[in-house]
Amino acid sequence: QVQLMESGGGSVQPGGSLRLSCVASPRDFPVYRMGWYRQAPDKQRELVATINYDGSTNYGDSVKGRFIISRDNAKNTMTLQMNSMEAEDTAVYYCNGRWFTANRPEDAWGQGTQVIVSS
């Protein structure tokens, strides 16, 4: 069982940058895949980016070239560096972790952190 906690949300102007962090507990629990998802008002939750234990990444089309995801396996932490932010990036961002028990996937979610992009 894993617990996740996000931090770093806030307000930023268009074109600005923001960095989100997520910590998985316990520290020694191996989370195979970590990722960020976001949900804007009246929209479904969508993929932002994921990163596997080996460092391989996957990005949603809307953030490619602007956001960078990374992780530190020793610390069980993950970071999302958001650059060239747009109003459409406004959403609640959720940290996700996935691992496998007897070859079955299991997930944990953070509580979410608000990101607002406006002039």
Side-chain angles (χ1 to χ4, degrees):
Q1 183 59 249
V2 176
Q3 294 192 72
L4 305 173
M5 182 173 64
E6 305 99 331
S7 63
S11 298
V12 65
Q13 293 185 333
S17 298
L18 202 63
R19 184 170 66 253
L20 305 181
S21 296
C22 177
V23 179
S25 300
R27 182 174 174 176
D28 60 353
F29 195 98
V31 182
Y32 177 72
R33 178 175 296 164
M34 302 183 75
W36 293 96
Y37 294 76
R38 67 187 184 187
Q39 187 167 19
D42 299 320
K43 297 186 67 176
Q44 295 189 79
R45 188 171 299 186
E46 66 173 350
L47 167 72
V48 178
T50 62
I51 182 167
N52 292 342
Y53 198 85
D54 64 1
S56 59
T57 59
N58 183 46
Y59 291 91
D61 289 340
S62 63
V63 307
K64 289 179 179 177
R66 299 189 298 120
F67 293 6
I68 301 174
I69 190 170
S70 61
R71 65 185 290 173
D72 185 332
N73 292 336
K75 298 179 180 179
N76 240 5
T77 59
M78 174 181 61
T79 297
L80 181 69
Q81 178 65 47
M82 302 184 290
N83 301 313
S84 301
M85 298 188 72
E86 306 167 348
E88 291 75 18
D89 295 321
T90 297
V92 176
Y93 285 69
Y94 296 90
C95 175
N96 169 257
R98 171 167 287 189
W99 66 99
F100 295 87
T101 301
N103 297 320
R104 299 291 191 274
E106 299 185 31
D107 287 276
W109 293 88
Q111 79 288 347
T113 185
Q114 178 73 62
V115 172
I116 299 175
V117 185
S118 64
S119 300

